[in-house]
Amino acid sequence: MEIVLVVAVAENGVIGSDNAIPWRLKSDQQRFKAITLNKPVVMGRKTFESLRRPLPGRTNIVVTRDANYRARGAIVTTSFENARAIALGDALRRFATEIAVIGGAEIYAQWMGTADRLEITEVHARPDGDTRFDKIDAQQWDEVARVRNPAGPDDSADFSYVTYRRRGRG
């Protein structure tokens, strides 16, 4: 079962500002859907709330410290271990080969050590923000694909799709 971190990150490491994404990339939304559809998606509470609704066609697994938190349309858990077990069971039930981890920063940090692949959208901009993605360790990851894209009519910046695979796996 592959663990895939899916994240859009600006050139300065920013992934969010005030619990929102500080750019608009409609092109990337389509790619995000294609990567995550029919799979379990793991996210933190703030990420789930920023979506304003569960992502359709995916099992939404929300990790929070608040044991009383409830989220309509999502499975809520309070630990990495439980989230991983729930995601694995769901992936097997769906015959999915991947678990997608979609943020935020703390969730990415928790899952980075178990990740097999990173699907990064590099946003060619330097927005202000309060949430960052850790720098990718070149000692542990190999870049295996890169496609640069100009901003489309519904995009606020140029961007690149970059895939990394953990060294020593697959």
Side-chain angles (χ1 to χ4, degrees), residues 50-129:
S50 75
L51 297 172
R52 295 192 286 274
R53 66 180 174 90
L55 294 171
R58 291 151 274 204
T59 301
N60 291 245
I61 302 165
V62 178
V63 183
T64 177
R65 291 181 194 90
D66 181 354
N68 296 314
Y69 183 78
R70 299 291 174 263
R72 182 181 299 274
I75 299 168
V76 178
T77 185
T78 57
S79 74
F80 165 82
E81 293 79 14
N82 285 347
R84 187 171 180 179
I86 293 163
L88 179 60
D90 182 69
L92 292 171
R93 181 183 60 78
R94 289 176 172 271
F95 301 101
T97 59
E98 299 172 351
I99 295 167
V101 178
I102 64 169
E106 279 188 56
I107 300 299
Y108 289 132
Q110 287 175 353
W111 286 77
M112 183 61 84
T114 62
D116 301 292
R117 193 172 88 234
L118 308 176
E119 290 294 343
I120 308 288
T121 300
E122 289 182 354
V123 181
H124 301 299
R126 301 181 77 74
D128 291 333

Side-chain angles (χ1 to χ4, degrees), residues 7 30 149 157:
V7 59
Q30 295 160 356
N149 300 281

Side-chain angles (χ1 to χ4, degrees), residues 1-23:
M1 185 70 51
E2 270 202 338
I3 307 293
V4 182
L5 274 54
V6 184
V7 59
V9 58
E11 292 171 345
N12 58 357
V14 167
I15 62 172
S17 179
D18 294 324
N19 208 31
I21 297 171
W23 53 77

Side-chain angles (χ1 to χ4, degrees), residues 22-35:
W23 53 77
R24 177 166 167 69
L25 291 179
K26 188 157 187 151
S27 306
D28 188 49
Q29 291 172 355
Q30 295 160 356
R31 178 175 183 259
F32 175 85
K33 183 177 181 179
I35 291 171

